[in-house]
Amino acid sequence: MATAADVDAMWRAIELAARGLGSTSPNPVVGCVITDASGEIVGEGYHQRAGGPHAEVHALAAAGDRARGATAYVTLEPCNHTGRTGPCSQALIDAGISRVVYAVGDPNPQATGGADTLRAAGIKAETGILTAEAAEGNTVWLTSVRLGRPYVTWKYAATLDGRIAAADGTSRWISSAESRADVHRLRAEADAVVVGSGTARADDPHLAVRGIEGATQPLRVVVDTHATAVKPGARVLDEAAPTLIAVAEDAQTELADAEVVRLPRSAAGLDIPALLAALQERGVRHVLLEGGPTLAGAFVAAGAVDRVVAYLAPVLLGEGPAALTGAGITTITEALRLDVTETVRIGADFRITATPNFQKER
């Protein structure tokens, strides 16, 4: 049975894991805390970047000889394979750890089995402490591994009456400066930022992270089915971040300043599952969808939205485009119901975070 000390140590490991958000992809975020027999923390660490030491290695290095006979608390089952780094299960064995408590089992078939390796070496390996909380912190990576596609956050800014622009197409600025700054935090946590051709034409967006020191720039993706929206000199083609232009298989393009991927068409444009598969192959685990209502509708229709982040401004327009269109919802019984997980005041706006109910089925 878990003790209060076990729970406290795992909470600390979860807090540490969160420090890696935005810098560990395509790997998970992981935190590790090592305590001695008296419950004192003697080492802690987190996975800081892909290709670098895992959380357990950082914590073991901090603990040194005090790791012998100690307990290690890890948010994810220690890995059991050799990739760019060695298996953490073996590192824990070599350090003389006597007990390992992990929150979430590793669903990756290439890395799972660490707990069995630990037990075979005579180490007590336990799970079940703060499992839901640790899984929530790693939901992006877990979704990617389990579904075989990136986790998708759809972000939009709208007025209280649901408009994302005025009737004449003007939209700068519906949301507050504080909300716009917060969007850069979302970009910094994502591996790719995706917009459609309409946004590319109307806004000539830059899509790179600004104002966050040390941020890893996400891949900038423009879904440009007919290869007509992104022109030479577009801001998205500068050197601030890598760029990928997704076009139809039969589209003609001569863009030389960005990588181009050709994808099959769908009734509404490009095939969304094919787009996500192409991004997954490139190591993208988290997509921030910033596209307009048509692209958002295509993602919703494909069942490919995992989280919604809406910035609602205290503004009324009465006319203008809505935040979502073409989602295939024609009657109230087909409405996609959301579970609101957070409501926060940002500047003059409210940021509402919600997850679709179909998430519960996964």
Side-chain angles (χ1 to χ4, degrees):
M1 182 176 178
T3 67
D6 290 334
V7 173
D8 289 344
M10 189 61 78
W11 268 124
R12 176 57 181 165
I14 292 171
E15 292 172 356
L16 290 167
R19 296 182 182 181
L21 286 171
S23 63
T24 65
S25 190
N27 296 342
V29 294
V30 183
C32 178
V33 169
I34 298 175
T35 65
D36 63 15
S38 68
E40 179 185 355
I41 293 178
V42 296
E44 59 182 32
Y46 66 98
H47 186 37
Q48 299 175 13
R49 60 179 179 82
H54 290 187
E56 296 93 322
V57 174
H58 282 299
L60 289 170
D65 292 340
R66 299 180 73 182
R68 190 159 299 278
T71 296
Y73 299 87
V74 195
T75 56
L76 184 68
E77 179 184 1
C79 67
N80 200 46
H81 79 300
T82 299
R84 285 184 282 184
T85 62
C88 291
S89 54
Q90 190 61 49
L92 293 165
I93 293 168
D94 294 343
I97 291 288
S98 64
R99 177 179 175 237
V100 174
V101 181
Y102 63 95
V104 179
D106 193 335
N108 184 352
Q110 295 179 329
T112 192
D116 290 338
T117 296
L118 292 169
R119 294 184 186 108
I123 296 174
K124 188 175 183 181
E126 308 170 21
T127 190
I129 296 178
L130 299 182
T131 298
E133 292 81 358
E136 177 64 26
N138 227 356
T139 187
V140 165
W141 182 82
L142 289 170
T143 296
S144 178
V145 171
R146 290 168 177 165
L147 299 184
R149 65 155 176 83
Y151 180 93
V152 177
T153 296
W154 171 37
K155 161 263 162 186
Y156 69 91
T159 63
L160 283 184
D161 56 343
R163 309 294 177 174
I164 61 169
D168 64 357
T170 56
S171 60
R172 296 185 178 180
W173 294 105
I174 285 176
S175 60
S176 65
E178 293 86 350
S179 290
R180 298 195 298 274
D182 193 61
V183 169
H184 286 278
R185 175 189 61 81
L186 291 180
R187 288 181 181 176
E189 293 179 359
D191 303 319
V193 179
V194 178
V195 299
S197 56
T199 299
R201 289 191 186 93
D203 299 337
D204 187 21
H206 191 229
L207 302 182
V209 177
R210 298 189 302 274
I212 299 181
E213 185 177 353
T216 300
Q217 289 292 347
L219 175 67
R220 300 177 293 187
V221 181
V222 180
V223 180
D224 187 6
T225 305
H226 304 290
T228 57
V230 180
K231 304 291 187 182
R235 297 174 68 214
V236 77
L237 297 178
D238 69 9
E239 297 182 354
T243 300
L244 178 69
I245 310 299
V247 304
E249 292 171 321
D250 56 350
Q252 300 297 316
T253 177
E254 297 181 356
L255 280 177
D257 297 330
E259 181 184 3
V260 174
V261 60
R262 297 183 177 277
L263 300 173
R265 293 177 182 266
S266 69
L270 290 187
D271 184 79
I272 298 303
L275 171 64
L276 292 174
L279 294 176
Q280 178 93 342
E281 289 177 2
R282 286 165 171 76
V284 171
R285 298 293 177 261
H286 187 187
V287 165
L288 178 62
L289 176 61
E290 292 193 30
T294 301
L295 187 60
F299 270 76
V300 170
V305 171
D306 302 290
R307 180 176 64 158
V308 179
V309 179
Y311 296 87
L312 297 184
V315 177
L316 298 175
L317 285 174
E319 296 183 18
L324 183 68
T325 187
I329 300 170
T330 59
T331 182
I332 193 66
T333 58
E334 298 172 349
L336 180 57
R337 305 286 177 175
L338 307 177
D339 292 330
V340 174
T341 58
E342 184 185 51
T343 302
V344 178
R345 183 75 177 264
I346 297 186
D349 309 328
F350 280 98
R351 185 188 70 207
I352 298 176
T353 303
T355 56
N357 274 324
F358 57 61
Q359 289 291 96
K360 295 179 178 179
E361 301 173 4
R362 295 179 180 165

